[in-house]
């Protein structure tokens, strides 16, 4: 019925495998065959697949660094502003800028900002949240979170051809190849 | 496995997550705006009084000096609210039978004091002293606004701590010559910043922001 | 081929796994021959672990759950009752006085915060150290962390004389033109604890996303599908997802590690920055952190051991885990012992007679039996952990843990109360006794902690499913069930 | 661990070579244990200072009690504490404190005058000179502060000879008496409220009948009277009713002095001392500086002789110091300053006096045979020599509570030494009619029983409560013949219950009057406020008897003085000044007759013979006096000198006696909480049960009982507090009574005491130098020794630069050589700063709110301490304040003048500052302690100090409101603040000028001069807190021949 909701447009072809090995092999083949717009699904992270899909290092670390620096400056800046500019007070005979006392807060702010960046960044890079996604239309797909492995070549790929692509996938010894509709 | 969510949920969920941050910031800003608004500070709100006394008339038109009624403003923390006798000084003759002034006459007749309602009401833990401000060349209108033109009296400043501290941190902005303190038409622009700096020296004015200056 | 065999094997293995542990049947349990128990009982496949763990959540509520949760919830109500009393009458209902301005509130705060250290430590530091055995306990430990921090967080708020003004500790542009006093360790606390709570929560949640997806896919009821689905945010086990997810987890671990060390250091500053003899010591940060890990692991075990039995998770939480955690406690326990030793040494070596007296007072003063009990619980009792037989025996280990839980509470009592009771001017010395309301509040937070914990184990995957899947598959691929390759 | 191990504990367990040889001594003399240790450890170290008995001995009971973590649970909450009264005191403490912090303010009104009085400037206080009545009918000249017509504070009248600007506790607390909600508010006749007119009619009718019989049936019973106006009225009345009689009754009277002077001089003579001139002072059971009409002035004069660094009093070379010998049966504020102190039974004090007289060769004097007391024997010859060396510049004083014989001997000795006319001034009597109140009351009772009394008027006396039971006053009052009994007083008390009429009296701040000071100076009393409850003055009541009803108090007083002074202007001046200049009692020449001396000596020897059993010593209570202040919460919560007990009057017993009675000092859990053993005291059938307080410096075998408690009919504050000891008083045993039996009942009673009871010397044998002290000789030899006691870190031992304080830099110096621990400063502080009363229960829990406390330490041997040291502890206003750094919300900060400020309205109540204050001077509002409900109490509040709400910290502010007022005035007048212009309440009240306050930046300021002295030191300097409050080390001046660490 989901296909009816979404007007039956083709999203891609999904091949199901039983072993990680098969998935890795298939993905590499697909890449050789020049497919780019594709994605692999597995119950746990498999490094080889990521390489096979062709994205290697993540942008996340840099973003987190940025977040950390921002947090650090924010924390220190706040304390300097408060004690030296906003309302300087004589606290226990200490000078307004008794910087050693400012270390802990600065540190905590650094961590806080960095962590938030890490989480939000991860979501952003993964395009989450995406409660609705065509691949969920595939009834067998729930096995992806148990012990089955999937490779999906998307219709938007330049080299995608309904029959050609299906043949290619069949050649990768899947347990099944099925169409995924919007 | 069938779809659980409708496609639209994608947009909804993303917007709600990333929008949350901005929403919180906005809510905070609103809260602060409200706290500073007349709704809370009761700024510029006319307060009902037993007698609709008009500073506009007495000061603006008749040109009374503030001290004529607020006698203790130079001697005491409290500026002083005139005893009924002061009112009757003139009003036993002028408008002697105006119905508006009946409460005053009544008060004078049977010795029951008038109950004015406070316009400038500081919290009980704040100690303000009129005499020293006046002595240091801070004029009435600096806090009481354009009192000389108020037909009915309202509060011209927020009386929030940040407002007090604003001046205590940099009195030079507000100081004026002592002889001008009670001038209801004074305009800070009348004297130069340089002159104000001189006055600061002359009146030995220093910025006082210690807590006990106002809280005891 | 290989896949098919596996399928077959699981088919056989599964029913067994569901009812009884392979280990308990003694099949694989041959002490003396297997040096180290495996982190995952052999015979498990990605499929079996997935089903086993998600079934804990998805199959109906076990019978014992209701009384257990009921009790915990009742205690939580006690908490609310005593808070109502507190806000209505004032701090006076507690035993605090002059000179002892801090009592149970701060003791319990530090105690809970300490407990809340194991989770992040296990999931962050052990992740960085690539300790595989962590995988089956980290999720649970993290949850425990968050609940402990939640309990801890209550105290700094309610211990103030005017809790309704506690928000003044937050920096925001107010109409008073005033700001927090950033030299005060209490402000450092505010930042440290709130940061710690936030980061732990995020870490926990991020780690849980794939498992929520798993539950979403396994769930049969509509409500469950929707709720888990929303929480899973549309996770689809895509290789991309996994990739970024791994990176994010590592980064969070990297950030959480210094954080977890900083938090209890900051808490220890509450005392170390003070002038009171018994507080003013540079050893505090390290030995507070050690103490925190110590207490944390003790509490993890205190909760895990019964739950392991209740849900028959013997395959996932194996002797290996008990053993390792026992070792960690032994190590940190020794650091704590060193801390006590150094305190005494410094007191003597400093030749400062206020310090000397502080130490004398601990040993011979009115509260000396508290101190003796503390030494017994935190230093003597844990020595049992030198013996493997104790470390791998759930019951013995649990008893040791209870000693440590109690001991760590006493440690905070000695630091807070005993130090304050006799500081500089003898004319102003005092004594302190918790009132009934002090105790009610304490029990209340324990109730809150347990309630949250029960809800968690009931509705959330208490063991990281996807990490177990990885383990299971690796194990099979290596065809060496015993060796965990650590 | 058992108690005995505990004793050796310090030595054995703290492995320290120096200590191990101390250990046996620790075991041997528990008392001196740590003290000796201290002395051993450091050669120059003073003997131990300590404050505890059980702690000192590490008694098993003490340990037991503390080990139990929940004695509160073990024993029901506040055993012996009337929880209900506590709640009453707490007022609406249960109301949600949040209200106090609520941001939305209720609308306020301004209510101006209709016609504004000339002198009033709204918002500015006015000061009026008036007279505060004291025990015995004397007056203290005071200045009352009035805020917009509300008397709020009492200060001394600087012009007045008895005050010189200082006050005592009672004067300070009297302002609360004015607003006491429990004061009698109406005229009552047989339980019905009546009008004044009704009363006047009733009285006039009776008087009409009396007039016929010449007043044969009319009797007046008043307190001791010095008031000339009152006396004049009495004369007039007695003229109208020749057969009427006027009796006087005082429970705490100077009866002995009266009888003494009659015996010695054969007539009534008033005695006062000029301590400014006295070089040697001998106090025989005499609380010269703590009690009596002259105490304030005496303290001032005596203290001048202790400030060696200031120009010494005339006639003495700078650097010299007077010397005080105290021989007494129970310690008194006076004896805390004594250079030599001897604790003897009352009878033995007499013997000592006799022996002294003999040693001095006083004609007729003879040392009592068969009395030998080693310490006395050691002291006597030296004392005699000292006195002879100071003929004409010494004083021998006998106390009001000692036997008349002692006064006779004192007179004789002073006469013999030629002190009369120089240091001891004899004058005409000050009392309008000096009497023996006991004889008076007895006569009255006899007449009542004989049915001779038909109309009885009682003026503010309470014989039903405070007369010795053997007089059976209550029964006598019920005699059918007495058909009109009138009671006039502030409270509807025990006696009022036995009268037909009760007339509510006006407080002294509400009406006119006059009274004479210790030297006879006539002091005028003027009202600051109309009677709150329409009370009447005694003058108005007596005017009715004079047959001029309707005459006001003012007419009576002015009517007497205006003519005498010679006119309106003089009268006005006198009222303005508060007293009539030059009205001191004229000198009276009088010779002592030798016969009296011999007689006295004989009586003493007889008294000495019958010393079996325990001796009871009765004393007016330092807080309740004879009961008249029982309902004053400030006084009730005032820590009594020595015991620091509040809301009770325990029996004081010496350590040896305690061991005899097999009782401990009941230190239940180490501090405020004391579970004191209850004693049953019996003498001739009469008996009471009272908790015992073990008090070092108390004479062995003497049980001290203080008057004024166990009131059955007074306000809710005083009702049922403490034990009524009048039950044990008799004619013969009026002040002291031998032959009493005492035993522990086994019961326990919780006493709340505000001060810790611990060793100042820690087990390592190191004495904590809270009080640094030396003898004059040592000091002169080595002036720096006070500083060498502890080294303060150098100013440059820090990363941070010093914070500059231009302009004023406030500081305080406290002279430990002058503080008698009289508590005047503490009440003054309470009155000035709106400090809450928290009640016994809260004090018991260690939550007292006093900003200023007086720590007391004992020096030397446990059973016979060589000295008692007082140390007032206000906030130190540290320049490196530890409290400020830890406050998370900037609620406590430093001002530009270096004050450590507490901003209540910013405080969230973390109590971190309190924990981090090494001096523990911060106080926390655990509940809503301030009374926000009782209207009358609100009137008393100082409008310039915030009333604190629940959950905030508070502490001494150096009376910042006064500093601000002074700064504003000076800046308005464009001048500098002069030295002494700003004085905190404590400094202003202090009778001995022990507290000096001022601007440290001002080189001329007195405080600066003091701080420059080598004697000056800071408490806990070694913590580098840099306290602004510093102490002048305590000096003692023992006689060279008895040189010892005093």
């Amino acid at each position: 019925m989901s296909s009816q909701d979404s007007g039956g447009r083709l999203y891609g072809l999904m091949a199901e495998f039983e072993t990680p090995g098969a998935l890795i092999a298939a993905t590499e083949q697909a890449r050789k065959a020049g497919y780019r717009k594709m994605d692999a699904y597995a119950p746990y992270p498999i490094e080889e697949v990521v390489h096979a899909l062709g994205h290697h290092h993540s942008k996340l670390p840099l973003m987190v660094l940025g977040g950390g620096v921002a947090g650090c400056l924010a924390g220190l800046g706040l304390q300097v502003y408060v004690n030296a500019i906003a309302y300087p007070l004589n606290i226990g005979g200490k000078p307004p800028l008794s910087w050693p006392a400012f270390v802990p807060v600065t540190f905590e702010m650094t961590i806080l900002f960095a962590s938030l960046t890490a989480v939000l960044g991860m979501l952003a890079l993964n395009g989450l949240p995406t409660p609705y996604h065509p691949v969920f239309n595939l009834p067998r797909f729930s096995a992806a979170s148990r012990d089955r492995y999937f490779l999906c070549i998307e219709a938007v790929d330049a080299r995608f051809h309904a029959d050609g692509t299906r043949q290619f996938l069949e050649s990768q010894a899947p347990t099944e190849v099925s169409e995924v509709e919007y | 496995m069938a779809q659980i969510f409708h496609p639209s949920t994608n947009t909804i969920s993303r917007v709600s997550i990333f929008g949350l941050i901005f929403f919180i910031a906005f809510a905070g800003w609103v809260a602060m705006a409200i706290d500073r608004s007349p709704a809370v500070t009761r700024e510029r709100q006319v307060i009902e009084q037993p007698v609709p006394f008009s500073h506009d008339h007495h000061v603006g038109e008749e040109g009374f000096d503030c001290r004529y009624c607020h006698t203790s403003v130079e001697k005491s923390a409290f500026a002083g609210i005139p005893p009924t006798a002061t009112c009757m000084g003139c009003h036993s003759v002028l408008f002697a039978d105006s119905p508006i002034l009946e409460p005053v006459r009544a008060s004078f007749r049977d010795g029951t004091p008038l109950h004015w309602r406070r316009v400038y009401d500081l919290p009980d833990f704040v100690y303000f002293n009129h005499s020293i401000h006046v002595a240091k060349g801070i004029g009435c209108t600096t806090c009481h606004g354009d009192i000389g033109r108020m037909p009915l009296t309202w509060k011209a400043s927020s009386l929030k701590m940040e407002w007090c501290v604003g001046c205590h941190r940099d009195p030079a902005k507000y100081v004026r010559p002592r002889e001008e303190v009670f001038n209801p038409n004074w305009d800070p622009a009348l004297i130069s910043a340089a002159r104000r700096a001189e006055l600061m020296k002359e009146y030995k004015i220093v910025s006082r922001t210690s807590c006990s200056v106002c809280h005891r | 081929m290989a896949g098919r065999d596996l399928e077959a094997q699981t088919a056989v293995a599964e029913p067994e796994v569901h009812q009884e542990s392979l280990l308990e049947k003694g099949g694989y349990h041959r002490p003396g021959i297997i040096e180290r128990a495996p982190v995952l009982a052999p015979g498990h496949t990605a499929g079996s672990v997935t089903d086993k763990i998600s079934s804990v959540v998805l199959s109906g509520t076990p019978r014992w759950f209701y009384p257990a949760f009921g009790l915990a919830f009742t205690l939580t109500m006690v908490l609310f009752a005593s808070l109502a009393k507190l806000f209505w009458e004032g701090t006076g209902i507690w035993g605090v006085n002059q000179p002892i301005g801090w009592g149970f509130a701060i003791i319990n705060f530090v105690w809970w915060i300490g407990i809340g250290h194991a989770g992040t430590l296990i999931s962050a530091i052990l992740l960085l150290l690539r300790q595989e055995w962590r995988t089956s306990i980290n999720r649970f430990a993290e949850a425990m962390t968050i609940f402990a921090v939640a309990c801890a967080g209550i105290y700094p708020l309610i211990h103030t004389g005017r809790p309704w003004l506690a928000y003044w500790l937050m920096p925001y542009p107010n109409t008073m033109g005033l700001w927090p006093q950033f030299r005060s360790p209490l402000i450092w606390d505010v930042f440290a604890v709130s940061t710690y709570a936030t980061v732990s929560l995020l870490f926990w949640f991020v780690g849980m996303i794939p498992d929520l997806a798993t539950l979403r896919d396994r769930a049969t009821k509509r409500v469950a599908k929707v709720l888990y689905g929303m929480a899973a945010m549309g996770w689809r086990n895509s290789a991309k997802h996994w990739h970024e997810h791994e990176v994010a987890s590592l980064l969070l671990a990297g950030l959480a590690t210094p954080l977890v060390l900083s938090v209890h250091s900051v808490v220890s500053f509450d005392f170390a920055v003070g002038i009171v003899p018994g507080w003013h010591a540079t050893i505090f940060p390290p030995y507070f952190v050690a103490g925190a890990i110590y207490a944390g692991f003790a509490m993890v075990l205190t909760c895990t051991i019964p739950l392991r039995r209740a849900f028959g998770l013997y395959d996932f939480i194996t002797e290996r885990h008990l053993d390792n955690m026992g070792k960690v406690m032994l190590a940190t326990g020794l650091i704590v012992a060193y801390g006590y030793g150094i305190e005494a040494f410094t007191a003597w070596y400093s030749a400062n007679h206020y310090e000397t007296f502080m130490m004398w007072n601990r040993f011979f003063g009115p509260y000396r039996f508290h101190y003796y009990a503390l030494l017994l619980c935190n230093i003597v009792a844990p020595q049992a952990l030198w013996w493997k037989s104790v470390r791998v025996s759930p019951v013995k280990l649990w008893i040791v843990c209870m000693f440590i839980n109690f001991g760590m509470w006493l440690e905070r009592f000695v630091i807070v109360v005993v130090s304050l009771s006799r500081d500089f001017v003898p004319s102003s010395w005092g004594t302190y006794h918790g009132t009934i309301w002090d105790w009610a509040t304490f029990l209340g937070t324990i109730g809150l902690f347990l309630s949250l914990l029960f809800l968690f184990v009931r509705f959330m995957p208490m063991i990281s499913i996807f990490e177990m899947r990885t383990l299971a598959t690796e194990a099979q691929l290596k065809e060496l069930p015993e060796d965990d390759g650590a | 661990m058992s108690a005995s191990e505990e004793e050796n504990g310090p030595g054995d367990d703290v492995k320290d070579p120096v200590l191990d040889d101390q250990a046996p001594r620790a075991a041997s003399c528990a008392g001196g244990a740590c003290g000796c240790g201290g002395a051993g450890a450091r050669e120059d170290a003073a003997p131990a200072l300590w404050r505890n008995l059980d702690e000192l001995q590490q008694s098993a009971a003490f340990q037991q009690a503390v080990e139990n973590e929940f004695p509160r649970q073990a024993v029901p909450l506040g055993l012996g504490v009337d929880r209900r009264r506590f709640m009453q005191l707490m007022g609406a403490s249960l109301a949600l404190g949040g209200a106090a912090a609520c941001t939305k303010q209720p609308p306020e009104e301004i209510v101006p005058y209709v016609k504004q009085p000339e002198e009033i400037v709204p918002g500015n206080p006015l000061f009026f000179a008036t007279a505060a009545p004291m025990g015995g009918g004397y007056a203290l000249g005071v200045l009352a502060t009035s805020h917009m017509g509300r008397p709020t504070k009492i200060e001394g009248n600087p012009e007045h000879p008895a005050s010189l600007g200082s006050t005592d506790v009672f004067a300070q607390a009297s302002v609360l008496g004015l607003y006491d909600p429990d004061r009698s508010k109406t005229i009552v006749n047989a339980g019905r409220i009546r009008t004044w007119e009704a009363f006047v009619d009733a009285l006039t009718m009776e008087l009409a009948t009396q007039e016929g019989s010449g007043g044969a049936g009319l009797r007046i019973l008043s307190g001791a009277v010095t008031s000339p106006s009152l006396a004049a009225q009495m004369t007039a009345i007695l003229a109208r009713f020749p057969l009427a009689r006027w009796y006087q009754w005082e429970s705490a009277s100077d009866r002995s002095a009266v009888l003494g002077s009659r015996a010695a001089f054969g007539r009534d003579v008033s005695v006062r001392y000029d301590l400014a001139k006295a070089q040697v002072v001998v106090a025989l059971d005499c609380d010269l500086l703590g009690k009596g009409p002259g105490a304030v002035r005496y303290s001032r004069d005596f203290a001048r002789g202790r400030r060696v660094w200031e120009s010494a009093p005339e006639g003495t070379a700078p650097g010299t110091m007077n010397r005080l010998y105290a021989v007494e049966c129970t310690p008194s504020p006076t004896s805390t300053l004594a250079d030599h102190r001897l604790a003897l039974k009352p009878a033995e004090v007499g013997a000592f006096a006799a022996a002294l007289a003999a040693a001095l060769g006083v004609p007729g004097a003879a040392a009592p045979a068969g009395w030998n007391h080693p310490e006395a024997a050691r002291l006597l010859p030296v004392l005699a020599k000292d006195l002879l060396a100071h003929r004409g510049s010494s004083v021998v004083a006998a106390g009001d509570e000692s036997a008349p014989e002692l006064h006779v001997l004192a007179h004789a000795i002073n006469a013999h030494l030629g002190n009369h006319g120089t240091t001891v001034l004899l004058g005409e009597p000050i009392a309008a009619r000096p009497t023996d109140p006991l004889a008076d009351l007895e006569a009255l009772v006899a007449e009542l029983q004989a049915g001779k009394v038909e109309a009885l008027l009682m003026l503010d006396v309470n014989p039903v409560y405070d007369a010795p039971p053997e007089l059976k006053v209550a029964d006598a009052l019920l005699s059918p013949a007495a058909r009109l009994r009138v009671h006039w007083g502030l409270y509807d008390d025990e006696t009022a219950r036995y009268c037909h009429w009760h007339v509510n009296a006006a407080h002294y701040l509400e009406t006119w009057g006059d009274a004479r000071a210790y030297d006879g100076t006539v002091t005028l009393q003027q009202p600051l406020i109309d009677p709150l409850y329409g009370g009447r003055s005694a003058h108005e009541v007596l005017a009715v008897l004079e047959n001029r009803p309707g005459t006001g108090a003012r007419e009576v007083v002015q009517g007497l003085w205006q003519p005498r002074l010679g006119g309106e202007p003089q009268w006005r001046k006198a009222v303005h000044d508060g007293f009539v200049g030059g009205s001191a009692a004229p000198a009276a020449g009088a010779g002592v007759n030798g016969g009296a001396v011999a007689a006295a000596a004989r009586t003493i020897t007889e008294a000495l013979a019958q010393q079996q059993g325990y001796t009871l010593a009765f004393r007016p209570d330092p807080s309740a006096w004879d009961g008249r202040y029982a309902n004053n919460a400030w006084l009730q919560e005032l820590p009594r000198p020595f015991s620091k007990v509040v809301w009770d009057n325990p029996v004081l017993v010496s350590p040896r006696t305690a061991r005899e009675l097999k009782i401990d000092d009941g230190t239940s859990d180490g501090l405020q909480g004391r579970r004191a053993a209850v004693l049953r005291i019996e003498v001739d059938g009469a008996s009471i049960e009272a908790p015992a307080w073990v008090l070092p410096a108390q004479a062995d075998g003497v049980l001290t009982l203080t008057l004024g408690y166990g009131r059955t009919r007074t306000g809710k504050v005083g009702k049922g507090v403490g034990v009524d000891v009048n039950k044990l008083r008799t004619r013969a045993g009026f002040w002291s009574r031998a032959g009493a039996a005492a035993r522990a009942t086994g019961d326990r009673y919780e006493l709340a005491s505000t001060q810790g009871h611990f060793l100042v010397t820690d087990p390592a044998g190191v004495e904590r130098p809270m009080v640094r002290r030396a003898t004059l000789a040592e000091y002169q030899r080595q002036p720096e020794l006070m500083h060498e006691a502890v080294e303060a870190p150098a100013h440059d031992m820090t990363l941070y630069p010093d914070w500059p304080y231009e302009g004023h830099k406030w500081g305080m110096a406290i002279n430990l050589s002058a503080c008698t621990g009289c508590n005047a400063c503490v009440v003054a502080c309470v009155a000035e700063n709106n400090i809450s009363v928290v009640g016994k229960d809260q004090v018991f829990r260690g939550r007292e709110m006093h900003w200023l406390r007086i720590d007391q330490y004992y020096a030397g041997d446990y059973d016979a301490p060589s000295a008692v040291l007082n140390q007032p502890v206000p906030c130190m206003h540290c320049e490196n304040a530890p409290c400020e750094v830890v406050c998370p919300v900037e609620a406590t900060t430093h001002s530009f003048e270096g004050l450590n400020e507490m901003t209540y309205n910013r405080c969230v109540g973390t109590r971190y500052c309190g924990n981090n204050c090494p001096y523990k001077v911060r106080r926390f509002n655990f509940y809503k302690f301030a009374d926000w409900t009782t209207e009358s109490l609100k009137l008393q509040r100082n409008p310039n100090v915030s009333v604190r709400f629940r959950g905030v910290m508070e502490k001494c502010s150096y009376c910042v409101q006064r500093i601000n007022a002074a700064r504003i005035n000076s800046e308005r007048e464009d001048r500098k603040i002069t030295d002494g212009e700003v004085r905190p309440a404590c400094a202003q009240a202090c009778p001995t000028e022990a507290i000096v306050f001022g601007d440290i930046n001002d080189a001329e300021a007195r405080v600066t001069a003091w701080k420059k002295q080598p004697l000056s030191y800071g408490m806990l300097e070694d913590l580098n807190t840099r306290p602004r409050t510093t102490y002048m080390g305590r000096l003692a001046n023992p006689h060279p021949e008895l040189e010892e660490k005093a």
Side-chain angles (χ1 to χ4, degrees), chain B residues 39-40 42 71-72 74-78 80-86 107-108 111-118 121-127 129 131-132 135-136 178 204 208 210-216, chain D residues 100 104-116 121-124 148 890-891 893-897 899 901-905 942-947 949 960-961 964-965 967-969 971-972 974:
Chain B
V40 174
R42 303 182 196 167
T71 49
S72 55
E74 288 174 305
K75 304 194 271 313
S76 158
F78 180 50
I81 295 293
T84 318
T86 309
S107 153
F108 198 66
T112 56
L114 287 160
H115 286 236
W116 300 96
R117 292 185 50 205
R118 251 190 192 286
D121 184 6
L122 288 166
D124 295 352
F125 48 74
V126 179
Y127 293 84
N129 187 306
S131 66
I132 190 62
K136 295 277 180 174
R178 284 203 180 103
K204 303 198 182 73
R208 291 266 163 85
S210 293
C211 309
S212 68
V213 171
C214 309
H215 303 297
R216 295 160 209 167
Chain D
K104 202 80 176 171
Q105 302 172 50
E108 244 177 57
E109 282 183 336
I110 306 180
V111 184
Y113 291 91
V114 176
K115 300 187 186 63
Q116 184 163 324
V121 175
N124 291 359
M148 304 296 285
E890 294 174 333
T893 56
H894 244 59
S895 84
F896 62 101
E897 291 173 340
L899 299 186
E901 303 179 329
M902 186 65 220
T903 315
Y904 316 117
N905 44 300
N942 179 350
N944 294 321
V945 177
S946 310
V947 177
F949 12 83
V960 65
Q961 65 278 12
N964 282 7
R967 189 195 304 121
I968 287 172
N969 293 338
E971 290 191 5
R972 221 166 47 207
D974 195 16

Side-chain angles (χ1 to χ4, degrees), chain A residues 50-64:
Chain A
V50 182
H51 295 309
L53 287 173
H55 34 82
H56 298 285
H57 42 67
S58 161
K59 288 190 231 59
L60 201 50
L62 266 180
M63 299 162 71
V64 172

Side-chain angles (χ1 to χ4, degrees), chain D residues 197-216:
Chain D
E197 290 65 28
F199 166 70
V200 172
D201 295 348
L203 189 52
T204 333
M205 207 186 306
E206 172 60 30
L207 291 174
T209 50
Q210 287 298 331
E211 210 144 18
S213 65

Side-chain angles (χ1 to χ4, degrees), chain A residues 83-125:
Chain A
N83 286 284
I85 300 151
Y87 206 137
L89 279 165
N90 175 352
I91 306 289
K94 297 195 184 329
L97 284 180
S98 30
W99 63 267
F102 301 162
V103 174
V105 171
T106 312
F107 173 81
E108 301 298 342
M109 291 285 278
T110 313
I111 299 287
L112 181 63
F113 277 49
S115 314
L116 286 170
T117 326
V119 175
L120 295 179
M122 186 271 286
L123 293 181
L125 291 173

Side-chain angles (χ1 to χ4, degrees), chain C residues 94 101 184 270 427 429 433, chain D residues 69 671 756 847 855 886 911-912:
Chain C
W94 289 344
S184 166
D270 289 348
S427 71
W429 287 352
H433 308 287
Chain D
E69 217 220 299
L671 191 70
R847 296 169 179 177
D855 289 351
V886 297
R911 301 185 298 289
Y912 200 171

